[in-house]
Amino acid sequence: DRNIGLCFLTPNGRFLARVSGKVKGNVLLRKKQYQVSEKQDDSVPIAASFLLGKIYNSRKVIERALRDHVMLVDGDELTKASAFLKQSLCTIPQCNSIGELMAFEGSAAKIYFGVFNQLILQQKEEFAFKERSRRPPLDNMNSLLSFLYTVLTNETVSALEAVGLDPYVGFLHTDRPGRPSLALDLMEEMRPFLADRLALSLVNRKQISGKGFTQKESGGILMDDETRKTVITAWQERKREEILHPYTRERIPLGLILHVQAMLLARHLRGDLDAYPPFFWS
């Protein structure tokens, strides 16, 4: 009745099930979504917008570290990474295929995560980061990131369903059975701003510690219940913070950003907006 969804996850953050109210699907909107997803010429501009948001916001995370912690980081290394991402922002709009976009996305992600360890200012031994590892996460920071990405994915699914879009039919990520491709598309621009920054804050402010993580026989890293509770609490508190949305120019809680972006995407597909405006963190 209140349109509040519940997600059930395993202790290491793997999605199990979701309980939600009635899906308010708009059949005409979804038909348009399916038509656009089948045509590369129509999909590429939308996919490019998702990546522009992701790379811009990733660069913003690096620039914030250079501004706020210049004495604690390798300025030259971060400056080079920032310059590479800036160049990528100029190249993305020139791409003509999803394959080209994914290639640039991969390069940008490699550069970004290549300097991510520089952004860890406290507890560097317990949360040392070498590279992104997923299934399973092989260190404490990857475990934290994977958990936050899972939470973000499921909230993105709910936001898309709320505006009548099908979260399983995307424009950047290819369709696979059981994969919420559009949710993965939309969350790309949100990962640096919502998940990565929160992970860094939790570690740098020592709100969590390495003692809250254990290694399983498979090599994967698992968070304990107390750490998971701390992370979820911080996530909910973060969502209550207000921000001026760069496109609508309205002050909204961070928790509504996904819903606003989903609404803007739906408006573009309906023809009310000439293009999908990605979220640029200011």
Side-chain angles (χ1 to χ4, degrees):
D1 288 344
R2 299 182 184 181
N3 197 30
I4 298 173
L6 287 176
C7 283
F8 295 86
L9 311 174
T10 64
N12 62 347
R14 185 172 62 83
F15 174 73
L16 289 175
R18 185 175 68 254
V19 178
S20 60
K22 293 180 180 179
V23 176
K24 301 176 182 178
N26 181 326
V27 64
L28 297 179
L29 175 61
R30 290 199 176 200
K31 280 186 175 181
K32 180 64 175 179
Q33 176 189 352
Y34 301 150
Q35 291 171 3
V36 172
S37 70
E38 293 295 324
K39 298 178 181 179
Q40 181 162 262
D41 289 347
D42 294 336
S43 294
V44 166
I46 301 175
S49 292
F50 292 140
L51 290 188
L52 286 173
K54 176 183 181 178
I55 295 173
Y56 180 94
N57 293 332
S58 296
R59 181 170 182 261
K60 199 73 174 181
V61 172
I62 294 174
E63 288 292 316
R64 282 289 181 97
L66 282 168
R67 186 194 72 183
D68 298 339
H69 308 291
V70 64
M71 302 300 293
L72 301 176
V73 298
D74 186 332
D76 290 340
E77 188 177 358
L78 292 185
T79 299
K80 289 178 181 177
S82 177
F84 181 91
L85 297 180
K86 183 178 181 180
Q87 181 58 41
S88 297
L89 291 173
C90 299
T91 309
I92 290 293
Q94 302 171 18
C95 292
N96 297 313
S97 69
I98 299 299
E100 286 184 77
L101 289 173
M102 292 302 291
F104 279 107
E105 188 277 335
S107 298
K110 184 176 181 180
I111 293 296
Y112 173 67
F113 282 119
V115 298
F116 199 77
N117 194 57
Q118 286 282 334
L119 309 179
I120 302 170
L121 308 177
Q122 302 290 334
Q123 309 184 85
K124 293 186 74 71
E125 289 187 8
E126 296 92 331
F127 290 93
F129 184 93
K130 293 183 180 180
E131 62 182 0
R132 183 78 180 106
S133 57
R134 297 175 178 83
R135 300 180 185 89
L138 300 177
D139 57 54
N140 294 347
M141 181 56 83
N142 269 296
S143 178
L144 177 58
L145 288 173
S146 290
F147 184 79
L148 287 170
Y149 291 166
T150 300
V151 174
L152 178 58
T153 300
N154 287 291
E155 294 205 3
T156 308
V157 167
S158 297
L160 290 167
E161 288 181 339
V163 301
L165 289 167
D166 186 338
Y168 291 88
V169 178
F171 306 109
L172 178 65
H173 292 84
T174 55
D175 298 338
R176 292 182 188 172
R179 180 165 82 167
S181 297
L182 186 58
L184 297 178
D185 287 354
L186 187 62
M187 68 175 278
E188 287 287 4
E189 59 196 276
M190 299 300 170
R191 292 204 299 181
F193 175 64
L194 290 178
D196 297 355
R197 285 192 70 232
L198 180 58
L200 290 168
S201 294
L202 287 167
V203 172
N204 290 335
R205 295 176 181 175
K206 298 183 178 180
Q207 292 174 265
I208 61 174
S209 71
K211 296 179 180 178
F213 298 80
T214 56
Q215 187 173 34
K216 300 187 295 182
E217 292 181 0
S218 63
I221 303 297
L222 188 68
M223 279 192 289
D224 64 22
D225 291 342
E226 192 62 31
T227 300
R228 200 175 303 110
K229 181 179 178 180
T230 299
V231 173
I232 289 294
T233 299
W235 174 265
Q236 297 295 354
E237 290 175 351
R238 176 103 171 98
K239 285 167 59 179
R240 287 196 288 268
E241 297 176 13
E242 287 196 348
I243 189 172
L244 180 66
H245 192 280
Y247 182 80
T248 65
R249 308 308 298 173
E250 296 177 331
R251 294 201 68 82
I252 60 171
L254 288 181
L256 286 181
I257 287 180
L258 289 167
H259 293 270
V260 172
Q261 293 305 120
M263 178 192 67
L264 292 173
L265 177 58
R267 289 182 62 190
H268 169 56
L269 291 172
R270 286 196 299 263
D272 298 334
L273 295 175
D274 291 337
Y276 166 70
F279 176 81
F280 292 130
W281 174 33
S282 60

